[in-house]
Each structure stands twice: as structure tokens, then as C-alpha cells.
Amino acid sequence: MSTRFPFTAVVGMDDLRLALLLNAVSPSVGGVLVRGEKGTAKSTAVRALAGLLPEVAVVAGCRFSCDPAAPDPGCPDGPHGDGASGARPARMVELPVGASEDRLVGALDIEKALAEGVKAFEPGLLAAAHRGILYVDEVNLLSDHLIDHLLDAAAMGASHVEREGVSVRHAARFLLVGTMNPEEGELRPQLLDRFGLTVEVAASRVPEERVEVVRRRLAFEDDPAAFAARWAGEEAALRARIAAAREVLPRVVLGDAVLLQIAATCAAFEVDGMRADIVMARAATALAAWAGREEVTSEDVRQAALLALPHRRRRNPFDAPGLDQDKLDETLERFKGEEPDDDPDPGPDGPGDGGPGGGGGVPPQGGEGPAPETDGAPEQAPEQAPGTDGAPERAPAPQGSGPAGERAAVKAGEPFRTKVLSVPGLGDGAAGRRSRARTQSGRTTGATRPRGALTKLHLSATVRAAAPHQRARGRSGAGLVVRRDDLRQAVREGREGNLVLFVVDASGSMAARRRMGAVKGAVLSLLLDAYQRRDKVGLVTFRGRGAELALPPTSSVDAAAARLEELPTGGRTPLSAGLLKARDVLRVERLRDPSRRPLLVVVTDGRATGGGPDPVGLAARAARLHAADGTASVVVDCEAGPVRLGLAGNLARDLGGTAVTLDELRADALAGLVRDVQVNRSIRRAA
């Protein structure tokens, strides 16, 4: 077994260490979601936690880690009598992003179940993580069907494996810890809410701290065993403190005054549901136990709010998590009652002493102090772009001022609900919610012979295949004689996520501020739709002398929204350059992810005034290249004014797609757009 980096050797990141330790003290807090940029030791800190957890008592020989004091009566390896028991270290089980459903929940041998009546079950990662930690690195990239199983197990404390009427159930209670880089996309709201606490981490900007990080990492890589031995004393002390806090935890009193503060705080920040209240109560109790106290104080409630509420405040993927600390303090003060102890002193190992793991007080917030790896980092107000709320909108620069007649960025208009744009046909891409596809879940549409292991049995097709051979196989009893060749895999149809590539005209013809604001609002609305449908998105812009890939295809729609907000306008309209750049992007993406089908969304008024001696003809030829590639496309027509040339409609015909105006894009006004896309594709193929 490889040597883990010691938890106490992690430099800084007080909030992260405190959140992990609170879950070690009280697993009922509900886990931790760690958000941060790449290379900030998120995974290192999480993996180091496993070495601090107490040993787990288990029934000897039980593959599902049943507790000898209270064995699971429905355990597949049971029933457990008074057999031998033992102890093992707490497990940290890692769930790979690309894991299969059977790897997560376990595999049931359908052939044996049908032919022999035997439930041959191979446990999965959920069984291995029972009474331990389930760690998901890059949790925001996890497939939807795996997230569904995680949600079910987290809600019920058990995993159910169903295969056409044959089922196995086992206990699956685990501490869920996930790490993610927000640049790569956000989590589904349902899974986000399942994490009890959230922490934002960032690399330190203090040179001395960065030097210490490098020094410790190099020392660990040179001799992991010797490095771990040097920190063994601190690790043992922290392990003992966790054990002591667990002993104090059942005696901690959560008074009515504190409960009122918790409820008032959750109500003031308008969090959804009641899970936030429960998590805050458990976290505040764990904070008191961690500090060695038997009574919860207002300061515990404040710290619990800073860890439990930021990710529950988000209303859409473009909102940065965080809390208004002035509002938090005002709410706590308003509902402050008689408390047993108003002293927030966390004890000798508070977060300011540099001791292992911080303490029960409040780590630095709001950016004060030298270390930025705190919860306060995302709570600072971001710099406002020109034209945003709260700052006077700058007058547009005249055409020709700055490079290529560039104008100042314009604020996006209000987003709205859009009609569904989908790719025609039947795909095989990643699970999502946009276009029709063959998937692991969904409605059953047929049956086929299995390729490899059978995962989804089509029962009636299997019976029909086996029935004609029963006499030849010597069937004598009531049971059906089933062989491997009889088994049929169910073919299911669901929805897939697509690559939605936006090609946005940012030229001078689009530069009227009111008009460009509406255009940006429409693209922002489509980005919100892409987030909800689990798409990848990319952004190509064209203006002046050419086109650029403003955002390579990514799952982070908030990154696309940020690039869109900063987009300046002005200059000529090299439409052909934008279309050719989009074709290059799609060509690379087809090689990188061939199963994910693209949808090209061109946002333009159709004018072409740059890129060559015949810009309109060049744009038409570039569009026909996309049509020859079979790329599904939609042109969002932004032409304005009393006289309309219909150029966007001509472009849509060359692309083999559909043109739709900004007004028609709205869900309450756009009728039959997807049908039109499909009809146009059918006509083009027939021609």
C-alpha cells in the first residue's frame, strides 16, 4: 500500500481541513464538496483524511462490512449469527469518473439467476464504501446514471440492484466527499444538495507559503516513508483529538435559542428545503465537540452557516457560491437569545495557532490575512464589467476607435426559457437531456444479443428465444432451461447530451447596444438550457479581420457566460471565417469524442462584409461544408429594422438547418422548431 501524504503536513487550507475533520467527528454532517482550481492539493487533503479515521468493527467474512453489534438483517452474506468479528482500517473508496454502473452498484449474474435460481452477486464500490468514505474526484464530470445511483443510496442508506425482477439489496451508508474544478462544469442541483458542507480552495499567493508547499512535496516524493514518520506525532495527536471529540459529541446540547438562529439564518438566505437546517445543526454540534465544549454557541452557528449554505444559495449555474457575511451577522444578532456560553474561544488548537486541522472557531473570511485558501475567497464581490448593474454604463465608443473599430462590452439582456433545439436522428453519446439516443436507461425499444456481459435483460425476448428448444434440452420440470445463447439485451432509448457550438457575430453590424444586449441575453438563455441538458458548449466569435475560439468545448457553461459578457463588438463581418473556424473545432472534437454529436448555433444577422473579394459567396461555401459534414444547425436571425434582407434565412438553407428570430426563440413563441430542423434535414437528404 502506498504511503499517503500526512494530513497535518498540508499547508494552509484551514477551511478544507476543518470541514473534513468535522465529518470525521460526525459523519452525519453529510460529506464535503471541495471546489477549486487545478493543482491546489484538493485530492491530497481528502486522501489524507482516511488515515485519521478510527478502525471499523466488522463481521468476519462479510463482504458488506456489517457491524457485529447491529448486523444488517437483509445482508446478502447473512444472516449473521454470533460468528467471529474483527476490525479493519476505515476505507476510502474512489469512484472513477468513467466507472460503469455495474462497477458502482455491483453485478448480478442474470444467467445463473434464471437458469439455476441462484443470486450470484459481486459487490460494487457502494458496498466497499459502506461505513467509510466514498471519494469522487472530478465529481462534476460524473455521468448522470451514476449520479442517480449515488442519490438513491445517499437518500436510503442502501443500494438496490434490480435486473428484471431479480433484486439484491445491501446497506450503503458512506461519507460522500467530492472534488471539482468549476471551470469544467457544475453539479446537478440534486447532487449538490447532498453534500453537507462546501469549501472553496485556491493556491496561496504568499511566496513563503508557496515555498513551504514545494519544500514539503519534494521531501515527500524523495522518501515518502521518512516524511510520514516525521509527521507521525502530529498525526497521532490529531487522531486522538478526533476520538475525544467523538466521545464528547453525544453530550453536546443544542439549545432552543441556537436552533432558532439556525432556522432564521436558513430562512433569511432563502435556501430550498429543510436539509440546510439539519446540516447546520449537525455541523454546529460537531464544531462544539471539536472544541471540547458540550454547548453550541452562536459562533458555532456562524461557522456552520459559512460551510453549509454557500452552495445552497445558487439559483442558476452562473451564480458564484457565497454568503453575505454582514447579512449573516445581522441575522444571528437579531435572533440571539440567552446562551450558556458567549465565549467563541475554540480552545488551545484554534485556527490561528497553526496547529493541525484548525479548530472550532472561524477560519479567515473575506480575504483578510495572508492566505487566500479560505471560504471567504468566493464571497468577495467580483469586479463589475463595464455596463453591469451598479456601475454607470459607458457610452459606446465610436466606430473605428480602438482596434478594428472595437466597442465596449455590452451587458447581456435578461435570460428566458428557450424551446428545445435537438440533433435529429438517434445517437450513442453521453447521457443527457437533449437529443434522442440509445442509452443504459430509458424506455425499452427492442432487444439484441448481448455484446460482452449482460446488463439489461429483455425478459420476454429471452423467453421467446429459449422456448422452442425446451424439448430438445430435456426440460422435465416447471423451470425454463435457459442457455447463454438465449439471453437478450434490452435496447433502450433515452436522451443524450450534445456539443452545442455557438458561433456569435460580434461585428459592427451587431454593435447597437440594445440589440447586442438582446443577442447576448438569447445566447445566455441557450447556455442555461445547455447546462440543464448536460451539454458541452463552445464559443466561436468573429469580427474585424477573422474569427477566434473564445472558449474551447467544455462542460462549464458559466465559463462560456463569462466570455460572452466580456465580448466586445465592432469591425467588419467575416462570416466565412467564423464558419470555417467552427468547422475546425468540430473536426477536432469528432476525433476526441466521436460519440457526442454536435449542434451548431449561429447567431448573426446574415451579413458578410469581410474575409475576401466575395464575402457572401465565401460564407455560402463555408456553410455548405457544414451541411456536407451532416452537422445539425440553427441560425438565430438577429436582423433588425423595418427593412429585412433575409440573409440569415439564406445562410440557414446553405447550412441545411433552420432560421429562427430572437422572438421565436422564446419557449412561449417558438412552435415546432425542432420539427422544422428535422424536416429540413430530411429534405436535404432526399435531394
Side-chain angles (χ1 to χ4, degrees), residues 628-663:
D629 292 338
T631 302
S633 58
V634 174
V635 177
V636 179
D637 184 359
C638 303
E639 190 174 25
V643 179
R644 296 176 180 265
L645 303 178
L647 298 175
N650 295 337
L651 177 64
R653 282 191 291 274
D654 289 328
L655 285 167
T658 296
V660 55
T661 66
L662 289 175
D663 290 337

mmCIF file of all heavy atoms in Angstrom, residues 628-663:
data_model
loop_
_atom_site.group_PDB
_atom_site.id
_atom_site.type_symbol
_atom_site.label_atom_id
_atom_site.label_comp_id
_atom_site.label_asym_id
_atom_site.label_seq_id
_atom_site.Cartn_x
_atom_site.Cartn_y
_atom_site.Cartn_z
ATOM 1 N N ALA A 628 -22.396 19.346 -45.727
ATOM 2 C CA ALA A 628 -21.813 18.105 -46.231
ATOM 3 C C ALA A 628 -21.318 17.227 -45.090
ATOM 4 O O ALA A 628 -21.324 15.989 -45.198
ATOM 5 C CB ALA A 628 -20.667 18.424 -47.191
ATOM 6 N N ASP A 629 -20.903 17.829 -43.990
ATOM 7 C CA ASP A 629 -20.453 17.064 -42.823
ATOM 8 C C ASP A 629 -21.616 16.456 -42.044
ATOM 9 O O ASP A 629 -21.400 15.650 -41.137
ATOM 10 C CB ASP A 629 -19.644 17.961 -41.873
ATOM 11 C CG ASP A 629 -18.319 18.387 -42.475
ATOM 12 O OD1 ASP A 629 -17.833 17.692 -43.395
ATOM 13 O OD2 ASP A 629 -17.764 19.416 -42.027
ATOM 14 N N GLY A 630 -22.837 16.877 -42.362
ATOM 15 C CA GLY A 630 -24.001 16.367 -41.641
ATOM 16 C C GLY A 630 -24.215 17.015 -40.295
ATOM 17 O O GLY A 630 -24.856 16.435 -39.416
ATOM 18 N N THR A 631 -23.685 18.222 -40.106
ATOM 19 C CA THR A 631 -23.817 18.911 -38.824
ATOM 20 C C THR A 631 -25.194 19.555 -38.705
ATOM 21 O O THR A 631 -25.589 20.360 -39.564
ATOM 22 C CB THR A 631 -22.735 20.001 -38.679
ATOM 23 O OG1 THR A 631 -21.446 19.407 -38.808
ATOM 24 C CG2 THR A 631 -22.843 20.698 -37.334
ATOM 25 N N ALA A 632 -25.928 19.214 -37.672
ATOM 26 C CA ALA A 632 -27.214 19.859 -37.404
ATOM 27 C C ALA A 632 -26.977 21.307 -37.003
ATOM 28 O O ALA A 632 -26.046 21.604 -36.248
ATOM 29 C CB ALA A 632 -27.954 19.121 -36.299
ATOM 30 N N SER A 633 -27.805 22.214 -37.503
ATOM 31 C CA SER A 633 -27.541 23.633 -37.263
ATOM 32 C C SER A 633 -28.827 24.429 -37.141
ATOM 33 O O SER A 633 -29.868 24.063 -37.697
ATOM 34 C CB SER A 633 -26.675 24.215 -38.395
ATOM 35 O OG SER A 633 -27.322 24.052 -39.643
ATOM 36 N N VAL A 634 -28.713 25.528 -36.416
ATOM 37 C CA VAL A 634 -29.793 26.504 -36.270
ATOM 38 C C VAL A 634 -29.171 27.885 -36.396
ATOM 39 O O VAL A 634 -28.121 28.164 -35.804
ATOM 40 C CB VAL A 634 -30.497 26.371 -34.899
ATOM 41 C CG1 VAL A 634 -31.523 27.484 -34.722
ATOM 42 C CG2 VAL A 634 -31.165 25.021 -34.758
ATOM 43 N N VAL A 635 -29.789 28.747 -37.165
ATOM 44 C CA VAL A 635 -29.347 30.133 -37.287
ATOM 45 C C VAL A 635 -30.314 31.015 -36.519
ATOM 46 O O VAL A 635 -31.523 31.011 -36.800
ATOM 47 C CB VAL A 635 -29.287 30.577 -38.765
ATOM 48 C CG1 VAL A 635 -28.886 32.051 -38.858
ATOM 49 C CG2 VAL A 635 -28.308 29.711 -39.541
ATOM 50 N N VAL A 636 -29.799 31.739 -35.526
ATOM 51 C CA VAL A 636 -30.613 32.696 -34.782
ATOM 52 C C VAL A 636 -30.499 34.034 -35.500
ATOM 53 O O VAL A 636 -29.444 34.679 -35.490
ATOM 54 C CB VAL A 636 -30.142 32.805 -33.315
ATOM 55 C CG1 VAL A 636 -30.989 33.835 -32.570
ATOM 56 C CG2 VAL A 636 -30.217 31.452 -32.634
ATOM 57 N N ASP A 637 -31.569 34.439 -36.162
ATOM 58 C CA ASP A 637 -31.591 35.626 -37.011
ATOM 59 C C ASP A 637 -31.714 36.874 -36.150
ATOM 60 O O ASP A 637 -32.738 37.091 -35.487
ATOM 61 C CB ASP A 637 -32.765 35.526 -37.991
ATOM 62 C CG ASP A 637 -32.799 36.677 -38.986
ATOM 63 O OD1 ASP A 637 -31.936 37.556 -38.904
ATOM 64 O OD2 ASP A 637 -33.706 36.680 -39.840
ATOM 65 N N CYS A 638 -30.663 37.715 -36.161
ATOM 66 C CA CYS A 638 -30.642 38.925 -35.327
ATOM 67 C C CYS A 638 -30.902 40.189 -36.148
ATOM 68 O O CYS A 638 -30.679 41.300 -35.652
ATOM 69 C CB CYS A 638 -29.287 39.056 -34.631
ATOM 70 S SG CYS A 638 -28.848 37.628 -33.633
ATOM 71 N N GLU A 639 -31.357 40.022 -37.386
ATOM 72 C CA GLU A 639 -31.592 41.193 -38.228
ATOM 73 C C GLU A 639 -32.696 42.053 -37.626
ATOM 74 O O GLU A 639 -33.718 41.541 -37.165
ATOM 75 C CB GLU A 639 -31.985 40.753 -39.636
ATOM 76 C CG GLU A 639 -32.014 41.899 -40.626
ATOM 77 C CD GLU A 639 -32.255 41.418 -42.039
ATOM 78 O OE1 GLU A 639 -32.852 40.323 -42.203
ATOM 79 O OE2 GLU A 639 -31.854 42.126 -42.985
ATOM 80 N N ALA A 640 -32.459 43.377 -37.621
ATOM 81 C CA ALA A 640 -33.420 44.311 -37.041
ATOM 82 C C ALA A 640 -33.717 45.418 -38.048
ATOM 83 O O ALA A 640 -33.000 45.593 -39.031
ATOM 84 C CB ALA A 640 -32.869 44.894 -35.738
ATOM 85 N N GLY A 641 -34.769 46.180 -37.749
ATOM 86 C CA GLY A 641 -35.117 47.300 -38.610
ATOM 87 C C GLY A 641 -36.301 47.007 -39.493
ATOM 88 O O GLY A 641 -36.711 45.859 -39.675
ATOM 89 N N PRO A 642 -36.880 48.051 -40.091
ATOM 90 C CA PRO A 642 -38.086 47.867 -40.920
ATOM 91 C C PRO A 642 -37.805 47.125 -42.218
ATOM 92 O O PRO A 642 -38.677 46.469 -42.773
ATOM 93 C CB PRO A 642 -38.550 49.307 -41.185
ATOM 94 C CG PRO A 642 -37.308 50.141 -41.036
ATOM 95 C CD PRO A 642 -36.478 49.474 -39.986
ATOM 96 N N VAL A 643 -36.580 47.247 -42.747
ATOM 97 C CA VAL A 643 -36.226 46.575 -44.000
ATOM 98 C C VAL A 643 -35.362 45.366 -43.669
ATOM 99 O O VAL A 643 -34.276 45.496 -43.102
ATOM 100 C CB VAL A 643 -35.470 47.521 -44.950
ATOM 101 C CG1 VAL A 643 -35.091 46.781 -46.232
ATOM 102 C CG2 VAL A 643 -36.315 48.750 -45.267
ATOM 103 N N ARG A 644 -35.818 44.190 -44.015
ATOM 104 C CA ARG A 644 -35.092 42.953 -43.724
ATOM 105 C C ARG A 644 -34.678 42.301 -45.040
ATOM 106 O O ARG A 644 -35.483 42.126 -45.949
ATOM 107 C CB ARG A 644 -35.955 41.997 -42.904
ATOM 108 C CG ARG A 644 -36.308 42.564 -41.527
ATOM 109 C CD ARG A 644 -37.239 41.632 -40.774
ATOM 110 N NE ARG A 644 -37.577 42.157 -39.467
ATOM 111 C CZ ARG A 644 -36.945 41.843 -38.343
ATOM 112 N NH1 ARG A 644 -35.932 40.987 -38.381
ATOM 113 N NH2 ARG A 644 -37.317 42.363 -37.194
ATOM 114 N N LEU A 645 -33.430 41.887 -45.097
ATOM 115 C CA LEU A 645 -32.875 41.301 -46.313
ATOM 116 C C LEU A 645 -33.021 39.786 -46.355
ATOM 117 O O LEU A 645 -32.845 39.181 -47.415
ATOM 118 C CB LEU A 645 -31.391 41.680 -46.438
ATOM 119 C CG LEU A 645 -31.082 43.186 -46.438
ATOM 120 C CD1 LEU A 645 -29.581 43.409 -46.521
ATOM 121 C CD2 LEU A 645 -31.788 43.867 -47.609
ATOM 122 N N GLY A 646 -33.286 39.163 -45.219
ATOM 123 C CA GLY A 646 -33.441 37.716 -45.191
ATOM 124 C C GLY A 646 -32.153 36.951 -45.389
ATOM 125 O O GLY A 646 -32.175 35.783 -45.825
ATOM 126 N N LEU A 647 -31.013 37.574 -45.087
ATOM 127 C CA LEU A 647 -29.728 36.913 -45.308
ATOM 128 C C LEU A 647 -29.528 35.726 -44.369
ATOM 129 O O LEU A 647 -28.895 34.732 -44.742
ATOM 130 C CB LEU A 647 -28.593 37.927 -45.126
ATOM 131 C CG LEU A 647 -28.591 39.106 -46.107
ATOM 132 C CD1 LEU A 647 -27.503 40.096 -45.758
ATOM 133 C CD2 LEU A 647 -28.417 38.598 -47.539
ATOM 134 N N ALA A 648 -30.040 35.823 -43.138
ATOM 135 C CA ALA A 648 -29.892 34.710 -42.195
ATOM 136 C C ALA A 648 -30.648 33.478 -42.688
ATOM 137 O O ALA A 648 -30.196 32.340 -42.504
ATOM 138 C CB ALA A 648 -30.379 35.119 -40.804
ATOM 139 N N GLY A 649 -31.798 33.687 -43.333
ATOM 140 C CA GLY A 649 -32.536 32.563 -43.888
ATOM 141 C C GLY A 649 -31.768 31.877 -45.002
ATOM 142 O O GLY A 649 -31.766 30.638 -45.116
ATOM 143 N N ASN A 650 -31.091 32.687 -45.836
ATOM 144 C CA ASN A 650 -30.260 32.095 -46.893
ATOM 145 C C ASN A 650 -29.123 31.272 -46.293
ATOM 146 O O ASN A 650 -28.789 30.186 -46.794
ATOM 147 C CB ASN A 650 -29.684 33.198 -47.778
ATOM 148 C CG ASN A 650 -30.764 33.959 -48.536
ATOM 149 O OD1 ASN A 650 -31.863 33.429 -48.755
ATOM 150 N ND2 ASN A 650 -30.468 35.191 -48.928
ATOM 151 N N LEU A 651 -28.523 31.801 -45.234
ATOM 152 C CA LEU A 651 -27.442 31.067 -44.568
ATOM 153 C C LEU A 651 -27.950 29.747 -44.001
ATOM 154 O O LEU A 651 -27.276 28.708 -44.112
ATOM 155 C CB LEU A 651 -26.850 31.934 -43.451
ATOM 156 C CG LEU A 651 -25.757 31.280 -42.596
ATOM 157 C CD1 LEU A 651 -24.536 30.958 -43.444
ATOM 158 C CD2 LEU A 651 -25.385 32.186 -41.422
ATOM 159 N N ALA A 652 -29.149 29.770 -43.397
ATOM 160 C CA ALA A 652 -29.710 28.542 -42.833
ATOM 161 C C ALA A 652 -29.945 27.499 -43.917
ATOM 162 O O ALA A 652 -29.695 26.302 -43.712
ATOM 163 C CB ALA A 652 -31.016 28.849 -42.099
ATOM 164 N N ARG A 653 -30.393 27.948 -45.093
ATOM 165 C CA ARG A 653 -30.605 26.994 -46.188
ATOM 166 C C ARG A 653 -29.284 26.386 -46.644
ATOM 167 O O ARG A 653 -29.204 25.196 -46.937
ATOM 168 C CB ARG A 653 -31.318 27.689 -47.344
ATOM 169 C CG ARG A 653 -32.808 27.868 -47.111
ATOM 170 C CD ARG A 653 -33.517 28.320 -48.377
ATOM 171 N NE ARG A 653 -33.148 29.681 -48.757
ATOM 172 C CZ ARG A 653 -33.730 30.776 -48.289
ATOM 173 N NH1 ARG A 653 -34.711 30.669 -47.396
ATOM 174 N NH2 ARG A 653 -33.348 31.970 -48.687
ATOM 175 N N ASP A 654 -28.226 27.192 -46.713
ATOM 176 C CA ASP A 654 -26.919 26.660 -47.096
ATOM 177 C C ASP A 654 -26.394 25.675 -46.056
ATOM 178 O O ASP A 654 -25.705 24.703 -46.398
ATOM 179 C CB ASP A 654 -25.918 27.801 -47.287
ATOM 180 C CG ASP A 654 -26.199 28.624 -48.535
ATOM 181 O OD1 ASP A 654 -26.697 28.043 -49.519
ATOM 182 O OD2 ASP A 654 -25.947 29.849 -48.519
ATOM 183 N N LEU A 655 -26.706 25.925 -44.793
ATOM 184 C CA LEU A 655 -26.280 25.022 -43.722
ATOM 185 C C LEU A 655 -27.135 23.762 -43.652
ATOM 186 O O LEU A 655 -26.762 22.796 -42.972
ATOM 187 C CB LEU A 655 -26.356 25.740 -42.363
ATOM 188 C CG LEU A 655 -25.271 26.779 -42.058
ATOM 189 C CD1 LEU A 655 -25.663 27.612 -40.845
ATOM 190 C CD2 LEU A 655 -23.937 26.087 -41.810
ATOM 191 N N GLY A 656 -28.288 23.790 -44.317
ATOM 192 C CA GLY A 656 -29.214 22.677 -44.191
ATOM 193 C C GLY A 656 -29.923 22.675 -42.858
ATOM 194 O O GLY A 656 -30.378 21.627 -42.383
ATOM 195 N N GLY A 657 -30.045 23.860 -42.261
ATOM 196 C CA GLY A 657 -30.665 23.969 -40.943
ATOM 197 C C GLY A 657 -31.899 24.837 -40.965
ATOM 198 O O GLY A 657 -32.563 24.993 -41.992
ATOM 199 N N THR A 658 -32.196 25.442 -39.830
ATOM 200 C CA THR A 658 -33.405 26.244 -39.649
ATOM 201 C C THR A 658 -33.015 27.628 -39.154
ATOM 202 O O THR A 658 -32.100 27.766 -38.341
ATOM 203 C CB THR A 658 -34.344 25.578 -38.633
ATOM 204 O OG1 THR A 658 -34.780 24.333 -39.160
ATOM 205 C CG2 THR A 658 -35.562 26.445 -38.353
ATOM 206 N N ALA A 659 -33.711 28.643 -39.632
ATOM 207 C CA ALA A 659 -33.536 30.002 -39.135
ATOM 208 C C ALA A 659 -34.659 30.341 -38.178
ATOM 209 O O ALA A 659 -35.818 29.980 -38.407
ATOM 210 C CB ALA A 659 -33.517 30.998 -40.294
ATOM 211 N N VAL A 660 -34.332 31.026 -37.103
ATOM 212 C CA VAL A 660 -35.321 31.418 -36.109
ATOM 213 C C VAL A 660 -34.951 32.801 -35.591
ATOM 214 O O VAL A 660 -33.778 33.103 -35.379
ATOM 215 C CB VAL A 660 -35.377 30.396 -34.950
ATOM 216 C CG1 VAL A 660 -34.016 30.192 -34.319
ATOM 217 C CG2 VAL A 660 -36.376 30.813 -33.884
ATOM 218 N N THR A 661 -35.933 33.676 -35.431
ATOM 219 C CA THR A 661 -35.662 35.013 -34.925
ATOM 220 C C THR A 661 -35.499 34.979 -33.411
ATOM 221 O O THR A 661 -35.836 33.985 -32.751
ATOM 222 C CB THR A 661 -36.802 35.972 -35.295
ATOM 223 O OG1 THR A 661 -37.993 35.566 -34.592
ATOM 224 C CG2 THR A 661 -37.060 35.966 -36.789
ATOM 225 N N LEU A 662 -34.998 36.079 -32.873
ATOM 226 C CA LEU A 662 -34.830 36.164 -31.423
ATOM 227 C C LEU A 662 -36.158 35.997 -30.701
ATOM 228 O O LEU A 662 -36.235 35.338 -29.662
ATOM 229 C CB LEU A 662 -34.188 37.510 -31.049
ATOM 230 C CG LEU A 662 -32.715 37.695 -31.407
ATOM 231 C CD1 LEU A 662 -32.268 39.117 -31.085
ATOM 232 C CD2 LEU A 662 -31.853 36.694 -30.669
ATOM 233 N N ASP A 663 -37.216 36.586 -31.247
ATOM 234 C CA ASP A 663 -38.525 36.464 -30.600
ATOM 235 C C ASP A 663 -39.035 35.034 -30.658
ATOM 236 O O ASP A 663 -39.653 34.542 -29.713
ATOM 237 C CB ASP A 663 -39.540 37.401 -31.267
ATOM 238 C CG ASP A 663 -39.252 38.868 -30.964
ATOM 239 O OD1 ASP A 663 -38.597 39.129 -29.936
ATOM 240 O OD2 ASP A 663 -39.664 39.719 -31.764
#
